[in-house]
């Protein structure tokens, strides 16, 4: 069995789990105690894994930390790694996303932030440059705010082309660039915004998460503020695929790292009833790109359950077979070692889980 590292970001620190050959999990933490960790990246492109963490200190503010020894020690740059330049009349509130770029750019890492902006690092996360093309987009001043604030919370590189990039903004929608971030275009055709008078606007949708199919790279899956969608043309158009789900609201969507058409969601009721449908802890998996969905909850709690999974708290690893992980706002973490067929609880009584990441490290 693969040696897997699992990073769990919570409202009060980061917890790191290791699964060795016998399948048991050992956790350390909290790293960054009492700091909210909204973003974690596990960068396995180099000679050794690098961990990146976006942590918020109520006293010192937000910062990006990195570790090259699996969390044994952490480095914080002498100067802020992510900083809004003069003239923007704003300051960093939170780092929502730390996303390594593709294999052709081994030192490039993207950071998505609140306020809604994008930053790019070319030194593995030591320093980040402001991507002004997105900030200067004429639609940006009209973006709204999701319940958690306005944020670039999703960054989707295209492994075929380092100049092609997609981001998702709450509440601005999906934007794409084909020139390395110099220019951006909204890409929300077919996405509904049921909270606006015009329910199919050019921009302004509250997109919650986007994930790219590992084989058909023009296919993307999207969890919207109401609606699960798929695009088969790189995000130019979107079509609903969530009609078979018990609820089409939710925050997270994840994909299998090798099998085309396999995706995972955790449905949540919409409106004032933000609980799992039927008060049951259930993951739904599709193996046909959203034509059908099947419940996968073996090993999940049998009784009433109220934990919600946030946008970055449902992920897969790259093991064989693939592991699937979720953390919820009850402070519980569940893991599947068989691609979602069965689950077991591997951590409990943690603070509110904000994000999870997992990768094979040996």
């Amino acid at each position: 069995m693969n040696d897997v590292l699992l990073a769990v970001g919570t409202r009060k620190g980061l917890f790191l789990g290791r699964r060795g050959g016998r399948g048991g999990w050992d956790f350390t933490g909290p790293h960054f105690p009492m700091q909210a960790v909204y973003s974690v990246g596990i960068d396995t492109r180099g000679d050794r894994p690098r961990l990146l963490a976006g942590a918020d200190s109520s006293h010192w503010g937000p910062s990006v930390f990195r570790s090259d020894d699996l969390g044994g020690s952490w480095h914080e740059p002498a100067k802020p790694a992510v900083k809004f330049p003069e003239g923007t009349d704003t300051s960093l509130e939170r780092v929502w996303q730390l996303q390594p770029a593709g294999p052709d750019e081994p030192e490039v890492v993207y950071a998505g932030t609140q306020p809604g902006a994008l930053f790019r690092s070319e030194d593995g996360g030591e320093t980040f440059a402001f991507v002004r093309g997105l900030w200067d987009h004429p639609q940006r001043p009209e973006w709204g705010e999701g319940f958690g604030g306005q944020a670039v919370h999703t960054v989707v590189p295209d492994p075929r082309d380092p100049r092609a990039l997609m981001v998702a903004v709450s509440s601005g929608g999906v934007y794409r660039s084909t020139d390395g971030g110099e220019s951006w275009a909204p890409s929300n055709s077919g996405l509904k915004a049921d909270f606006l008078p015009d329910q199919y606007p050019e921009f302004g949708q509250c997109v919650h998460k986007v994930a790219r199919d590992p084989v058909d790279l023009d296919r993307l899956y999207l969890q919207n503020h109401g609606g699960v969608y798929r695009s088969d043309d790189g995000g130019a158009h979107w079509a609903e695929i969530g009609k078979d789900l018990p609820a089409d609201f939710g925050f997270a969507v994840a994909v299998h790292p090798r099998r085309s058409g396999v995706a995972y969601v955790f449905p949540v009721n919409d409106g004032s009833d933000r609980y799992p449908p039927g008060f049951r802890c259930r993951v739904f998996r599709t193996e046909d790109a959203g034509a059908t969905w099947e419940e996968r909850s073996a090993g999940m709690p049998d009784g009433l359950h109220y934990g919600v999974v946030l946008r970055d708290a449902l992920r897969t690893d790259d093991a064989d077979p693939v592991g699937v992980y979720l953390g919820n706002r009850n402070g519980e973490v569940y893991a599947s070692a068989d691609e979602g067929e069965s689950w077991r609880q591997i951590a409990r009584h943690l603070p509110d889980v904000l994000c999870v990441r997992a990768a094979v490290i040996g």
Side-chain angles (χ1 to χ4, degrees):
M1 183 173 288
N2 303 110
D3 186 2
V4 174
L5 175 70
L6 175 66
V8 182
T10 78
R11 285 199 185 276
K12 294 183 179 181
L14 173 69
F15 296 81
L16 297 175
R18 292 282 296 274
R19 186 190 73 187
R22 291 179 293 179
W25 287 91
D26 295 312
F27 281 87
T28 64
H31 306 260
F32 318 112
M34 299 305 294
Q35 296 191 45
V37 179
Y38 275 79
S39 55
V40 178
I42 304 178
D43 190 350
T44 59
R45 297 171 298 173
D47 296 335
R48 55 183 177 178
R50 169 168 287 184
L51 307 186
L52 298 162
D56 298 357
S57 166
S58 59
H59 182 73
W60 299 109
S63 188
V64 175
F65 300 82
R66 71 180 192 274
S67 172
D68 290 329
D69 56 7
L70 302 177
S73 61
W74 294 91
H75 170 76
E76 182 181 17
K79 296 181 179 180
V82 178
K83 182 180 180 180
F84 280 83
E86 293 184 7
T88 56
D89 296 323
T90 192
S91 59
L92 178 66
E93 296 180 41
R94 179 168 294 137
V95 177
W96 278 84
Q97 187 82 164
L98 288 164
Q99 176 62 54
D104 294 336
E105 297 181 302
E107 293 295 316
V108 173
V109 178
Y110 290 98
T113 69
Q114 177 185 348
L118 183 68
F119 292 76
R120 174 187 166 99
S121 171
E122 296 185 353
D123 53 15
E126 172 74 13
T127 61
F128 287 82
F130 188 51
V131 179
R132 184 165 287 278
L134 184 63
W135 184 260
D136 288 343
H137 195 282
Q139 294 171 347
R140 185 195 61 80
E142 299 181 58
W143 293 349
E145 293 188 6
F147 183 73
Q150 184 194 96
V152 172
H153 55 68
T154 300
V155 182
V156 186
D158 189 331
R160 299 167 295 188
D161 181 0
R163 294 178 61 79
L165 193 65
M166 173 181 288
V167 299
V169 189
S170 290
S171 297
V174 173
Y175 283 77
R176 293 188 294 168
S177 175
T178 59
D179 55 11
E182 292 293 323
S183 63
W184 297 81
S187 190
N188 301 295
S189 177
L191 292 180
K192 192 173 185 179
D194 56 8
F195 47 85
L196 295 177
D198 175 6
Q199 295 196 352
Y200 290 93
E202 183 181 20
F203 67 96
Q205 290 84 349
C206 190
V207 174
H208 287 172
K209 200 65 189 174
V210 183
R212 188 187 298 276
D213 191 277
V215 179
D216 184 350
L217 297 178
D218 284 326
R219 175 175 289 164
L220 298 120
Y221 303 91
L222 184 151
Q223 175 66 67
N224 199 37
H225 183 111
V228 179
Y229 291 81
R230 188 186 77 220
S231 173
D232 293 324
D233 54 12
H237 304 88
W238 300 90
E240 288 194 68
I241 57 171
K243 298 300 185 183
D244 290 342
L245 294 167
D248 64 6
F249 186 89
F251 297 99
V253 61
V255 296
H256 193 289
R258 293 184 294 275
R259 293 172 56 200
S260 183
V262 180
Y264 305 83
V265 295
F266 188 95
V268 178
N269 291 330
D270 197 359
S272 61
D273 179 16
R274 293 289 175 83
Y275 299 106
F279 304 115
R280 297 177 59 199
C281 186
R282 293 180 290 173
V283 170
F284 283 77
R285 184 181 71 190
T286 180
E287 297 189 339
D288 52 17
T292 59
W293 295 87
E294 294 183 347
E295 177 184 331
R296 288 292 178 264
S297 59
M300 294 288 195
D302 291 330
L304 296 178
H305 197 273
Y306 307 98
V308 170
V309 175
L310 297 179
R311 71 178 83 247
D312 261 326
L314 172 67
R315 303 292 289 198
T316 57
D317 64 22
D318 51 345
D320 187 13
V322 164
V324 191
Y325 308 88
L326 68 85
N328 62 35
R329 303 199 69 179
N330 292 1
E332 302 165 341
V333 179
Y334 296 89
S336 170
D338 53 12
E339 309 198 349
E341 287 295 322
S342 61
W343 299 81
R344 67 186 181 100
Q345 187 179 82
I346 61 171
R348 68 187 69 185
H349 306 312
L350 298 180
D352 192 351
V353 176
L354 305 175
C355 62
V356 299
R357 291 291 187 275
V360 172
I361 56 171

